Amino acid sequence: MELVQQVPELSAYLAADEVIDHEHPLVRETAAELRRNATDAYAYASVAYAFVRDTIAHSADAGDMRVAWRASDVLATRNGICHAKSHALAALLRAAGIPTALCYQALVGDDGSPAPVHGLIAVRLPGRDRWDRQDARGNKPGVDAQFSLDEERLAWPVRPALGEVDHPVLHAAPHPAVLYGLRSAEDRPQLWRTLPTAL
């Protein structure tokens, strides 16, 4: 699948905003801490990915009812669904000068009905002429996502036969429908009803 930048300028994928608030002190402090264990941009991206995947609980797996969506809040509460974790990872990567995009997948639930859109990221590391998608959702039985530049190791490889699709657009900011779903939900059970199932 060919990934397509929503915005031609690479600088858009380094921007800070209300959601990917990488100028927030907590984001900056976390990024500085992670940089201590990294020798270059590749190592930093891998360390930041593992930090978000492994130390920020996916709220559905953890049974946490809170809904976090702003990167700094995700880092503060150590909680969030896939979109929230993607926002946190994007902020940590952008804080280190690594262009990062938000990506989406349309998936099907266990019962065959459309599931809420799934969120992940793509990075453009120095010296590479392409974007590489990464999924920091968090692993559990049946999910083994890994940081990889050679082949995608995502949480949910799509199943076209079931109508699942990878959206090719690389978003510089969260999709408005996804952001609305996150911001309007009072708790996680309501979030499953407010998130879109298609973009």
Side-chain angles (χ1 to χ4, degrees):
M1 177 187 66
E2 183 178 350
L3 298 172
V4 180
Q5 287 181 211
Q6 179 191 35
V7 182
E9 294 80 19
L10 204 56
S11 60
Y13 299 92
L14 291 167
D17 59 28
E18 182 186 17
V19 180
I20 304 173
D21 57 341
H22 64 75
E23 294 174 351
H24 188 281
L26 179 57
V27 178
R28 290 288 181 182
E29 289 166 19
T30 306
E33 182 74 27
L34 295 172
R35 266 197 292 270
R36 290 193 187 102
N37 301 315
T39 55
D40 59 23
Y42 291 83
Y44 176 79
S46 179
V47 167
Y49 169 86
F51 173 81
V52 172
R53 184 193 64 191
D54 299 340
T55 72
I56 297 174
H58 189 287
S59 53
D61 296 347
D64 196 318
M65 295 297 141
R66 296 173 294 174
V67 177
W69 50 269
R70 184 181 289 114
S72 57
D73 292 338
V74 175
L75 293 175
T77 62
R78 294 292 178 99
N79 152 74
I81 65 163
C82 57
H83 300 292
K85 293 182 70 162
S86 293
H87 300 163
L89 181 54
L92 291 172
L93 294 171
R94 289 183 184 186
I98 299 171
T100 307
L102 301 172
C103 307
Y104 301 97
Q105 295 175 313
L107 303 175
V108 172
D110 294 337
D111 62 356
S113 64
V117 169
H118 177 59
L120 55 156
I121 64 132
V123 293
R124 185 78 178 257
L125 287 166
R128 290 181 73 80
D129 60 357
R130 61 179 233 189
W131 291 87
D132 296 288
R133 293 192 306 167
Q134 310 294 335
D135 191 342
R137 178 227 179 269
N139 290 337
K140 63 178 185 175
V143 176
D144 183 28
Q146 302 293 329
F147 184 84
S148 176
L149 302 178
D150 299 323
E151 65 174 301
E152 288 189 336
R153 300 280 306 276
L154 307 179
W156 315 115
V158 298
R159 301 166 294 180
L162 297 180
E164 296 181 338
V165 295
D166 282 313
H167 291 285
V169 177
L170 297 163
H171 294 264
H175 190 284
V178 170
L179 186 56
Y180 174 81
L182 287 163
R183 294 181 72 163
S184 61
E186 293 181 11
D187 57 27
R188 188 173 42 78
Q190 185 184 10
L191 180 59
W192 297 150
R193 298 189 296 274
T194 60
L195 283 173
T197 58
L199 297 180

